[in-house]
Amino acid sequence: MDGLNKLGAFISWIASIPMEVWVGFGGVLLTAVLTAITSAYFAGRDFRKQRRSEAIAVAFKASLIANDLAEKHREFKDAKNKHKAHNDQRLPFWSFIKVKAGRHERITIEPHELLVFIEAREYEIVRQLAVLDMRHKAVCDALNEFADLKRELRSRMKVGTPAGDYMLNAIDVSDEPAQIILTQMAALSQSTANLLPTFSAEALALCVSITPALRRHLKDNKIPFFAKPPS
């Protein structure tokens, strides 16, 4: 709005210049100055619009990642609670983790989307967004690998016996590949369960900090909040 007011004042000044001044070289010069200023203004406005759009896009992506990490955290907490409630040593923790159809798709934050935060000198937000991107990839990769291992393990299972709401499947103790799979699944599930609380909490805190930073830099209080601080 401030730029628009300045442009309007300049145009009003041009309109007050006597008509004879526009004749000859002076008129050409003034016309050139007016053209240059208005072109620079609208180019700057388009640039700001582009930066604003990119900033909102990356803030939205960050909120999607935060929501996904929070949902995965809830699912792991639910699995832990069910494991504890059954209190059956024959049922490992990983057996309560649900495997969904399809793959866990990573949400990617592109490097050029961080430019607005670099311009704003919000270097800590830039660092946190880069970390968030890597963390989401790591979690998705871990869960996809877990799903692949679980499917492979099922192919090695024998007919099992009921154990409450679950079915215990027998594995030949001499089946070394199956034992390796079991070890990998236990490690993946436990490490993911340990990391998700931190990943989820820090992702939410980052999303809460993004909007105030963008509003300050872009001088636009209409930029929406994509996350609310925990109550």
Side-chain angles (χ1 to χ4, degrees):
M1 181 59 71
D2 184 55
L4 187 59
N5 290 336
K6 289 180 180 178
L7 179 61
F10 179 78
I11 293 173
S12 297
W13 175 75
I14 290 293
S16 68
I17 296 176
M19 202 57 191
E20 56 269 19
V21 178
W22 289 90
V23 178
F25 178 75
V28 173
L29 180 61
L30 284 172
T31 302
V33 170
L34 177 59
T35 301
I37 289 178
T38 53
S39 297
Y41 170 75
F42 285 110
R45 188 176 65 173
D46 290 341
F47 179 79
R48 287 193 296 273
K49 281 184 177 180
Q50 179 183 346
R51 279 288 177 265
R52 184 181 185 280
S53 297
E54 290 173 351
I56 291 176
V58 75
F60 182 61
K61 281 187 179 181
S63 70
L64 290 178
I65 294 175
N67 289 336
D68 190 46
L69 291 175
E71 179 61 27
K72 287 175 169 52
H73 182 208
R74 283 191 291 269
E75 290 174 356
F76 269 71
K77 283 176 64 177
D78 183 59
K80 274 194 169 184
N81 291 335
K82 288 180 178 177
H83 178 236
K84 184 177 180 180
H86 273 76
N87 193 27
D88 189 336
Q89 295 301 317
R90 297 173 299 172
L91 292 171
F93 162 61
W94 60 258
S95 64
F96 293 86
I97 299 173
K98 297 177 181 178
V99 175
K100 297 181 178 180
R103 309 289 288 177
H104 292 271
E105 296 294 336
R106 171 196 180 189
I107 299 171
T108 304
I109 296 175
E110 302 293 346
H112 73 270
E113 294 176 313
L114 302 178
L115 288 176
V116 67
F117 299 99
I118 295 173
E119 289 174 354
R121 299 184 180 181
E122 295 286 354
Y123 302 124
E124 180 58 21
I125 289 181
V126 172
R127 184 193 70 81
Q128 290 177 10
L129 284 169
V131 169
L132 180 67
D133 177 76
M134 291 185 290
R135 285 178 170 179
H136 193 240
K137 180 182 184 302
V139 170
C140 289
D141 287 349
L143 293 179
N144 286 331
E145 184 178 353
F146 177 84
D148 291 341
L149 290 170
K150 196 167 188 178
R151 293 186 188 98
E152 185 177 349
L153 185 65
R154 283 173 180 168
S155 68
R156 296 177 174 274
M157 291 292 189
K158 298 179 179 179
V159 177
T161 55
D165 299 332
Y166 291 80
M167 181 72 73
L168 289 175
N169 294 284
I171 300 177
D172 187 349
V173 293
S174 64
D175 187 347
E176 186 174 344
Q179 300 302 323
I180 294 174
I181 292 172
L182 286 170
T183 302
Q184 291 175 317
M185 292 179 68
L188 272 174
S189 59
Q190 194 56 58
S191 61
T192 304
N194 292 341
L195 291 171
L196 275 174
T198 300
F199 286 6
S200 179
E202 292 186 358
L204 175 60
L206 170 60
C207 289
V208 169
S209 70
I210 286 177
T211 296
L214 291 178
R215 286 185 172 189
R216 287 193 301 271
H217 177 59
L218 299 174
K219 296 179 175 58
D220 184 355
N221 288 329
K222 294 181 180 179
I223 295 175
F225 283 90
F226 293 90
K228 295 181 180 179
S231 55

